Amino acid sequence: MVMQKLGASSLFSPLLLWILFVSGRISLVCTSHDHHHHRVHDRLAMFRPAKMFVFGDSYADTGNNPKALASSWKVPYGITFPGKPSGRYSDGRVLTDFLAAYFGLRSPIPYRWRKVGSRYVKYGMNFAFGGTGVFDTLIAQPNMTVQIDLFQQLIAESVYTGPALRSSLALVTNSGNDYSAYLARNGSYKDLPKFIPLVVNQLALDIKRIRDLGVKMIAVAGLQPLGCLPQSTASDSFRTCNATANSLVTFHNQLLQQAVAKLNNQTRSPPAAVFVDLYSSFMSVLNDTGSTKFPEPLKPCCLGINSSYSCGSVDQSGQKKYELCKDPKGMFFWDLVHPTQEGWRAVVSKLGPNLKQL
């Protein structure tokens, strides 16, 4: 079982934001109430989307960030799928890909490549940019408001029309970049509980705006256990999660669940949004002592040779400055913050047998 320890200074390190960008979430589990768990599945069981739109960060980005800046375009990213770097922050598929596959959809084309792959626009579009948040972060890429602006512009240009939107699904991820940016700008760690409601409130506004633009169903990803990311557990040799940090994640998720419930209460038609409990699904995998799939669940597959380097780093002569595990399939985490393809697959599997009934 993965243990947790108190103390949270490592979790929201300013390095986290940078790593999300240059070091280079589908579970609907609600473990506390099984009846709610089944009700969430029932909501999705009645819905068959024809296309998918994605908003968020590196947990959902499939190729929007610039090749010159993002390590998601550097070797060894993409080593498992598609066999070369593709802009995904993993060795292979990420949350977006698994959610699309679950609904029998093609993974939506990244916004940046919409003109090159115009024939794929009909399947939806991915507006997520790694390293971003609901507010501006230290990464000069579109925050969620701007991502939705891009979506709205395409609607204004009749790229997507009302009927198409009503048969679509949106995925929204927010994986902690707002918090690391807050601290990097001299925010106080003890004041984070005051900042969290601001992030969730803005996220709620973003979700409502997507709904008002005509999208029928929105999958809202909760915050993953940031205290269990390798970035947080490195100081303990990747053995122990940071309980204090995870308690702040729990606070974020509680507020977000309340916001989603409020939106649904305001919607006369079927539920507008579903809270995707990444925290529970991550922890379920990490605490699965009966499985031998991930013998060292908190340890990353790809890691810089020291703190000056990260996964994908090379020196001026092109010599790699990172270490790579022998088999990414046996590791839950890919780098300091992102799961491997098999890690994401395990997270998705925690939806349980009800998924297969859809």
Side-chain angles (χ1 to χ4, degrees):
M1 176 179 290
V2 172
M3 301 298 292
Q4 300 200 53
K5 65 177 180 179
L6 297 179
S9 59
S10 63
L11 167 65
F12 291 106
S13 163
L15 287 176
L16 177 58
L17 178 66
W18 180 246
I19 291 167
L20 277 168
F21 186 63
V22 299
S23 73
R25 341 181 206 45
I26 345 174
S27 174
L28 305 173
V29 179
C30 292
T31 56
S32 58
H33 299 288
D34 286 343
H35 67 280
H36 175 69
H37 167 83
H38 293 300
R39 193 162 62 241
V40 167
H41 286 299
D42 291 342
R43 291 174 183 173
L44 289 178
M46 297 181 291
F47 183 56
R48 291 291 188 275
K51 56 179 55 65
M52 180 175 166
F53 300 102
V54 182
F55 307 88
D57 48 38
S58 60
Y59 270 30
D61 187 0
T62 55
N64 274 320
N65 272 342
K67 286 187 174 182
L69 298 177
S71 64
S72 56
W73 288 104
K74 299 177 181 178
V75 175
Y77 286 78
I79 191 173
T80 300
F81 172 84
K84 61 182 180 180
S86 66
R88 290 171 171 83
Y89 289 82
S90 183
D91 66 307
R93 296 172 179 86
V94 296
L95 179 59
T96 296
D97 302 302
F98 282 106
L99 184 58
Y102 164 61
F103 280 106
L105 300 174
R106 178 184 290 271
S107 193
I109 189 169
Y111 175 80
R112 184 178 294 276
W113 304 103
R114 68 193 184 284
K115 294 182 179 179
V116 177
S118 58
R119 68 185 183 277
Y120 299 119
V121 169
K122 62 183 178 181
Y123 301 110
M125 195 166 293
N126 189 338
F127 299 90
F129 284 77
T132 64
V134 295
F135 301 125
D136 286 339
T137 62
L138 303 183
I139 302 304
Q141 297 298 322
N143 64 26
M144 193 169 293
T145 296
V146 179
Q147 292 175 24
I148 301 172
D149 288 343
L150 299 175
F151 178 45
Q152 187 169 2
Q153 181 61 37
L154 293 180
I155 295 174
E157 296 171 357
S158 298
V159 175
Y160 299 109
T161 60
L165 295 172
R166 287 191 292 273
S167 64
S168 65
L169 167 75
L171 168 65
V172 175
T173 67
N174 180 264
S175 308
N177 294 317
D178 291 292
Y179 301 130
S180 48
Y182 172 77
L183 291 175
R185 293 169 175 146
N186 297 317
S188 168
Y189 189 84
K190 65 181 179 61
D191 288 336
L192 265 176
K194 297 178 182 178
F195 182 61
I196 290 173
L198 301 181
V199 172
V200 174
N201 288 342
Q202 180 59 48
L203 186 54
L205 292 174
D206 293 334
I207 296 166
K208 184 178 186 302
R209 185 179 170 203
I210 294 169
R211 173 69 176 187
D212 290 345
L213 285 172
V215 177
K216 180 177 180 180
M217 177 66 80
I218 305 172
V220 182
L223 198 56
Q224 74 279 14
L226 296 175
C228 295
L229 301 184
Q231 164 71 16
S232 299
T233 65
S235 61
D236 191 40
S237 300
F238 310 111
R239 293 179 301 179
T240 308
C241 292
N242 190 309
T244 304
N246 281 347
S247 69
L248 290 170
V249 172
T250 299
F251 179 48
H252 169 104
N253 287 338
Q254 289 173 340
L255 293 181
L256 184 55
Q257 284 180 289
Q258 293 170 10
V260 168
K262 182 178 180 180
L263 176 62
N264 288 336
N265 289 335
Q266 296 171 345
T267 305
R268 295 182 180 180
S269 56
V274 172
F275 177 78
V276 180
D277 192 355
L278 289 186
Y279 185 95
S280 293
S281 53
F282 267 60
M283 293 305 292
S284 181
V285 175
L286 296 175
N287 284 319
D288 188 359
T289 56
S291 172
T292 58
K293 187 172 184 62
F294 305 119
E296 297 179 283
L298 299 182
K299 186 177 180 179
C301 173
C302 187
L303 188 66
I305 60 173
N306 57 48
S307 60
S308 298
Y309 299 99
S310 56
C311 181
S313 292
V314 295
D315 62 19
Q316 293 181 345
S317 63
Q319 293 296 313
K320 68 176 186 179
K321 293 296 181 180
Y322 60 88
E323 297 176 345
L324 188 66
C325 68
K326 292 182 179 180
D327 184 13
K329 293 181 180 180
M331 307 294 284
F332 179 79
F333 283 110
W334 168 245
D335 57 18
L336 287 177
V337 288
H338 305 100
T340 59
Q341 174 175 288
E342 287 305 307
W344 277 123
R345 191 189 307 278
V347 167
V348 171
S349 73
K350 291 303 175 179
L351 282 166
N354 289 338
L355 277 178
K356 299 179 181 179
Q357 299 173 10
L358 303 180

